[in-house]
Amino acid sequence: MPSIVPALSALADLEARLNANWKDEDQPKMGRPPKGDAPMTPNECKRASRARAKETRQRNIAILDMETDPFDDKLKTSVLPFLAVIYSDEFEPIVIWEENNVRFIERVIDALKSLPGRYTVYAHNGGKFDFLFLVSKLRGDVKFKGRSLMAAKVGSHELRDSSHIIPERLAAFSKDKFDYDRNRKANREHWRKEIIDYCIADCRYTLDIVKSFVANYGFKLTIGQASMAELRKHYDVKRINQGFDQQLRAFYFGGRVECLAGRGHFRGDYKLYDVNSMYPAVMANCAHPVGDFNDYDLRRGEPNEHTVFIDLVATNHGALIARDEDGSTTANIARGRFKTTIWEYNVAKQYGLIEDIEIFACWDCRKRSDFSKFIMPLYDNRLRTKESMRELKAQGLQTTAAFLGLKKDDIFFKLLLNNSYGKFAMNPANYREHYITDPGARPDEGWFKSLEGMSDDERIGYLQPIFSNADYAIWQKPSPSFRYNNVGTAASITGAARAILLAAIQQSQGAVYCDTDSLICTGLSGVPMHKSELGAWDLEDEYSELIINGKKLYAVWHKTPKLLTPEQIADGAKSEYTVKSKGTARLTWQEMLDMLNGGNVVKFNRAPTIDKFSRQRYVSRTIRATAPIMRKA
């Protein structure tokens, strides 16, 4: 392991040694060919310059990681960082150990600014944590998504959150075990070396993952962008304008989630079936609309072979979904107006689940395509990768570099397969741009230029910061430069997935719950079954009991106890049962029973939530059963 050196001092020799190269590569010149070679053409010079710039950028990647006070959701104390490590293959690790928070932030910012050349500095989940400790010292354009900081500049370097390109826990790849009690203020000086070594190891693992991703898929800001870029190598999906987006967006819904038997405590022989890669399967196997406004026809009459969406009124027997009064999606509207896809309409008709139908309009699209050329190579590569991993694991080689390399590939393939369809549905009308200044200062006047054309009433809210304190101010405005992808494509993909799930429900026995690509029931027949075939159903688990309290709020008792990782055990998981509760962890079986019987359960998040306004709080959630009681359990 490289020796640990104080912040900044280790960079002086490196910066002097590389200074000329940085200048050349930051401002590429045409250059001359070696003596005796044929002169390079202008285009060859440009390509060579771009290649050098790309090589430099891929080399100049660094990782920032911090250690903080331990989280305490009982005392609800704020946490502060005391250790930062900046790590790269290009310089010795920069270690900053500082108990004074003001000096800590200043030293980290100074260390980042002093890196030679231009670096892209990643922190895993840094946008919701590490970077937010630095936000008061950031200036200029900053990209936020909600409270999460996605990208910002520090000197000539860019900060990025690696969890946006690799939305997986670091432990999914490789991570050392660590007792966070060592980070307590009374303990950490004694464990100083061990804490620093652990932080450096985390940085080393993260750098390896990030560099692998960038080498394969480039410097995309999110996994959605990377996946869409790969898809567009094979397909030309037309972008659409804002007005047409609003018309097609009415047909876009997410996955189907239903408490099919209502709320209850269910005992018996229950099974969990799920589809092997549902969204990739319907992308590969179904033809979806990919055209623009000119490729659509809006007409009256019955659906035909070109129809993709239908606007209708019908009596509905749990088939078609719509939004209820609070905006939630439901299939429990008995009669109403539905904007649905041809996939769901056909399944509903096949099983007699809609009647008294009045069709207002059909949307036909003359330009449709599946995405098999994008999906199938990735899926086949993933199957081969998994088989190779199984072979190495059988030989006890799961800690080798070869196995870990395959593990990275497997996760990259999975992420690319599952994230392209969502990019089609992004709504850029919700995008915002942000700028951070000193308190009392304003962004450059050019930043406000995009507000021209707004009415005075519209502009007034953007001519003052949305936040200001003694350290910094944050400004916000609508994003002036955005493009709509094709929400019609996303609407068709998600509709096809819901149709497959709807058909499976009709062919199941004792169905009690479904979620997007899975179904809990006592039996399932008439559907393709296979362990790994794309789009086939697979028996995932078996249960002896279930407690269902609401959508994404249920618990299952495993017939065979699960094998848990140390990380899962540390998070409070139990081998005998699993509780599924979106947004809340560490619910117990007894608490689920309490909810079933009408009680409320209050839970605080284990970690504090930090926002761009430098506030910390332990967010609490009051959880109660939301599903109706439909029959006696």
Side-chain angles (χ1 to χ4, degrees), residues 45 105 161 202 259 278 285 294 313 402 503 552 605 609:
C45 289
I105 294 171
D161 185 345
D202 265 7
C259 304
M278 172 74 94
N285 297 327
N294 297 313
V313 168
K552 299 189 182 292
N605 287 351
T609 295

Side-chain angles (χ1 to χ4, degrees), residues 124 146 238 260 288 329 349 361 391 434 465 470 475 500 534 540 556 587 606 610:
H124 206 64
K238 298 298 183 183
L260 299 168
H288 305 286
T329 57
K349 289 276 288 182
E391 291 174 359
H434 295 84
W475 302 72
I500 289 174
L534 179 67
E540 184 71 20
V556 296
L587 280 170
R606 186 179 66 88
I610 309 174

Side-chain angles (χ1 to χ4, degrees), residues 212-229:
S212 295
F213 187 92
V214 168
N216 283 287
Y217 309 110
F219 280 93
K220 303 300 182 185
L221 194 58
T222 67
I223 182 60
Q225 290 178 0
S227 186
M228 182 64 81

Side-chain angles (χ1 to χ4, degrees), residues 330-341:
T330 180
N332 293 325
I333 296 175
R335 183 166 180 82
R337 187 167 182 174
F338 301 92
K339 295 194 173 185
T340 192
T341 65

Side-chain angles (χ1 to χ4, degrees), residues 148-163:
S148 177
L149 191 155
M150 297 183 70
K153 285 292 186 73
V154 175
S156 60
H157 314 292
E158 183 176 13
L159 303 181
R160 287 192 176 191
D161 185 345
S162 54
S163 65

Side-chain angles (χ1 to χ4, degrees), residues 86-157:
I86 304 172
Y87 184 93
S88 175
D89 293 335
E90 300 301 307
F91 51 79
E92 294 290 301
I94 300 171
V95 177
I96 300 169
W97 185 291
E98 177 59 71
E99 297 286 356
N100 181 289
N101 187 247
V102 173
R103 288 200 297 269
F104 175 88
I105 294 171
E106 290 175 348
R107 289 181 63 186
V108 172
I109 293 292
D110 287 345
L112 290 168
K113 288 181 176 178
S114 299
L115 295 177
R118 296 179 182 176
Y119 271 80
T120 307
V121 182
Y122 289 91
H124 206 64
N125 203 37
K128 292 184 178 180
F129 199 72
D130 307 66
F131 293 155
L132 295 178
F133 291 114
L134 309 177
V135 71
S136 65
K137 297 298 182 182
L138 302 178
R139 294 296 182 265
D141 288 301
V142 177
K143 288 184 174 67
F144 284 105
K145 183 178 182 181
R147 70 178 180 89
S148 177
L149 191 155
M150 297 183 70
K153 285 292 186 73
V154 175
S156 60
H157 314 292

Side-chain angles (χ1 to χ4, degrees), residues 69-367:
D69 305 314
F71 306 146
D72 192 334
D73 59 341
K74 294 182 175 59
L75 295 178
K76 300 175 183 59
T77 52
S78 297
V79 301
L80 293 175
F82 62 89
L83 168 66
V85 171
I86 304 172
Y87 184 93
S88 175
D89 293 335
E90 300 301 307
F91 51 79
E92 294 290 301
I94 300 171
V95 177
I96 300 169
W97 185 291
E98 177 59 71
E99 297 286 356
N100 181 289
N101 187 247
V102 173
R103 288 200 297 269
F104 175 88
I105 294 171
E106 290 175 348
R107 289 181 63 186
V108 172
I109 293 292
D110 287 345
L112 290 168
K113 288 181 176 178
S114 299
L115 295 177
R118 296 179 182 176
Y119 271 80
T120 307
V121 182
Y122 289 91
H124 206 64
N125 203 37
K128 292 184 178 180
F129 199 72
D130 307 66
F131 293 155
L132 295 178
F133 291 114
L134 309 177
V135 71
S136 65
K137 297 298 182 182
L138 302 178
R139 294 296 182 265
D141 288 301
V142 177
K143 288 184 174 67
F144 284 105
K145 183 178 182 181
R147 70 178 180 89
S148 177
L149 191 155
M150 297 183 70
K153 285 292 186 73
V154 175
S156 60
H157 314 292
E158 183 176 13
L159 303 181
R160 287 192 176 191
D161 185 345
S162 54
S163 65
H164 289 299
I165 56 170
I166 310 167
E168 297 277 343
R169 294 180 63 176
L170 190 59
F173 297 91
S174 185
K175 188 175 177 68
D176 292 348
K177 296 178 181 179
F178 185 71
D179 180 4
Y180 286 95
D181 193 60
R182 295 176 177 180
N183 282 1
R184 295 190 183 280
K185 198 162 189 174
N187 300 342
R188 58 193 181 221
E189 189 59 44
H190 175 76
W191 295 104
R192 181 169 180 151
K193 181 181 184 302
E194 288 78 4
I195 295 171
I196 291 172
D197 288 347
Y198 169 75
C199 195
I200 289 176
D202 265 7
C203 290
R204 186 168 59 250
Y205 299 142
T206 307
L207 181 66
D208 179 56
I209 298 160
V210 169
K211 279 201 163 187
S212 295
F213 187 92
V214 168
N216 283 287
Y217 309 110
F219 280 93
K220 303 300 182 185
L221 194 58
T222 67
I223 182 60
Q225 290 178 0
S227 186
M228 182 64 81
E230 292 298 306
L231 182 147
R232 288 191 181 278
K233 291 178 181 178
H234 305 282
Y235 296 95
D236 176 25
V237 182
K238 298 298 183 183
R239 290 188 169 91
I240 59 179
N241 60 36
Q242 184 175 7
F244 197 42
D245 177 274
Q246 291 174 349
Q247 294 183 70
L248 296 185
R249 193 165 290 277
F251 296 93
Y252 174 71
F253 300 89
R256 181 188 179 108
V257 185
E258 294 289 336
C259 304
L260 299 168
R263 189 168 90 210
H265 188 175
F266 303 89
R267 298 177 178 86
D269 184 15
Y270 286 96
K271 299 176 175 63
L272 170 66
Y273 296 94
D274 66 10
V275 175
N276 299 321
S277 299
M278 172 74 94
Y279 286 130
V282 297
M283 290 178 71
N285 297 327
C286 304
H288 305 286
V290 295
D292 61 15
F293 178 83
N294 297 313
D295 297 303
Y296 278 85
D297 292 313
L298 177 62
R299 62 171 179 81
R300 291 189 176 276
E302 293 297 310
N304 61 32
E305 69 272 20
H306 302 296
T307 301
V308 289
F309 305 123
I310 307 169
D311 184 354
L312 59 88
V313 168
T315 299
N316 180 45
H317 302 289
L320 306 183
I321 65 171
R323 300 196 184 279
D324 58 19
E325 293 179 355
D326 67 0
S328 300
T329 57
T330 180
N332 293 325
I333 296 175
R335 183 166 180 82
R337 187 167 182 174
F338 301 92
K339 295 194 173 185
T340 192
T341 65
I342 189 65
W343 315 110
E344 294 159 282
Y345 177 83
N346 286 341
V347 171
K349 289 276 288 182
Q350 177 184 352
Y351 290 97
L353 300 174
I354 53 175
E355 55 189 1
D356 302 325
I357 303 166
E358 179 184 355
I359 295 178
F360 287 135
C362 290
W363 286 86
D364 300 341
C365 186
R366 294 184 297 275
K367 189 171 184 181

